[in-house]
Amino acid sequence: MNRTERLYAIAEELRAAGPAGRTGSWLAERLEVSTRTIKRDVEALLQAGLPLWAQAGPGGGYVLDAATLPPLNITGAEAAAIAVALAALPALPFAVDGRSALSKVLAAMPAAERDRAEAIAARLWLRIPEAAPRPAVAKVLDEAVRRQQVVALRYVGGSGEITERAVEPVALAATKGHWYLLAWCRLREGPRWFRTSRITSAHLTAEPAPAHDAATLFGTPPDDARPVTLR
């Protein structure tokens, strides 16, 4: 990113951090620049009038008074990055919500920055392999995980056996080209991985699902797999 985009990014990272703030080294690693560059950028933000102050002591860093900030700013490159992620992985859980969020982001952007986002996106070409669409039950599974409610499944096992069971959703996971619902199965009285392409029907019940810790039930993910993070 260029310097202007980096200044925006520093401001938004500090806004998200709240009173805890962020250290210069954390910002440098996050934005892939040196701590010296972060220090210069912070000085530029101070000169521009940003309500920013340094927090002294071990672990101290920079803190932003978010209450006095203008509304959130989204750059053209950031909007284009969101669009690319959605286009590259159209079968992701909550993809409809993602497209809705992108529409809101674009509507809130200044016209000039929105035009810049479209110009950047036009220079990003994707060749996406033909893939089977998400099964019809996918939206029900998304809602089960979102709301944490028990879902009734009709499932075809690897041997072709068809079973009906109520499960308590824990997480959705992608591995080896397939999506799985990780859940506590009441029929088997234990944790199970259900391949979504083998779920022939799903019904969301009104019953709240008990809270389950994914690591306790399914173990720690391997080094090359991890939960999605927002920060």
Side-chain angles (χ1 to χ4, degrees), residues 45-95:
L45 291 170
L46 284 168
Q47 292 175 5
L50 204 69
L52 182 67
W53 50 280
Q55 193 173 38
Y62 303 108
V63 178
L64 190 62
D65 183 3
T68 63
L69 285 178
L72 182 70
N73 290 302
I74 302 292
T75 68
E78 290 168 338
I82 296 171
V84 168
L86 291 170
L89 298 168
L92 282 176
F94 309 110

Side-chain angles (χ1 to χ4, degrees), residues 72-121:
L72 182 70
N73 290 302
I74 302 292
T75 68
E78 290 168 338
I82 296 171
V84 168
L86 291 170
L89 298 168
L92 282 176
F94 309 110
V96 173
D97 300 275
R99 289 190 290 271
S100 174
L102 178 58
S103 295
K104 293 176 182 178
V105 166
L106 293 171
M109 291 172 64
E113 203 63 28
R114 185 165 56 248
D115 291 343
R116 185 165 179 264
E118 292 175 348
I120 292 172

Side-chain angles (χ1 to χ4, degrees), residues 7-213:
L7 292 175
Y8 273 125
I10 291 172
E12 297 309 333
E13 291 290 356
L14 293 178
R15 184 206 298 263
R22 295 294 189 194
T23 64
S25 58
W26 189 96
L27 290 168
E29 182 178 357
R30 179 74 164 181
L31 302 177
E32 300 180 346
V33 295
S34 68
T35 53
R36 185 176 179 182
T37 297
I38 292 296
K39 185 176 180 180
R40 287 200 301 264
D41 288 346
V42 168
E43 289 174 353
L45 291 170
L46 284 168
Q47 292 175 5
L50 204 69
L52 182 67
W53 50 280
Q55 193 173 38
Y62 303 108
V63 178
L64 190 62
D65 183 3
T68 63
L69 285 178
L72 182 70
N73 290 302
I74 302 292
T75 68
E78 290 168 338
I82 296 171
V84 168
L86 291 170
L89 298 168
L92 282 176
F94 309 110
V96 173
D97 300 275
R99 289 190 290 271
S100 174
L102 178 58
S103 295
K104 293 176 182 178
V105 166
L106 293 171
M109 291 172 64
E113 203 63 28
R114 185 165 56 248
D115 291 343
R116 185 165 179 264
E118 292 175 348
I120 292 172
R123 295 193 293 271
L124 301 171
W125 291 15
L126 300 175
R127 172 176 283 168
I128 302 170
E130 188 69 26
R134 292 187 77 200
V137 299
K139 288 185 180 180
V140 176
L141 303 182
D142 289 352
E143 286 303 303
V145 172
R146 186 208 306 265
R147 300 183 188 180
Q148 287 294 278
Q149 289 178 244
V150 174
V151 61
L153 305 179
R154 183 178 176 86
Y155 189 72
V156 181
S159 63
E161 176 192 12
I162 299 175
T163 56
E164 295 184 356
R165 57 185 83 192
V167 304
E168 300 164 4
V170 177
L172 291 166
T175 181
K176 297 181 180 178
H178 298 287
W179 277 97
Y180 294 83
L181 172 68
L182 280 59
W184 176 270
C185 178
R186 292 181 175 178
L187 177 65
R188 305 302 186 199
E189 297 185 344
R192 291 290 186 274
W193 289 62
F194 297 100
R195 203 161 101 179
T196 57
S197 60
R198 292 179 178 167
I199 300 174
T200 59
S201 68
H203 171 69
L204 189 64
T205 74
E207 180 184 354
H212 293 291
D213 178 68

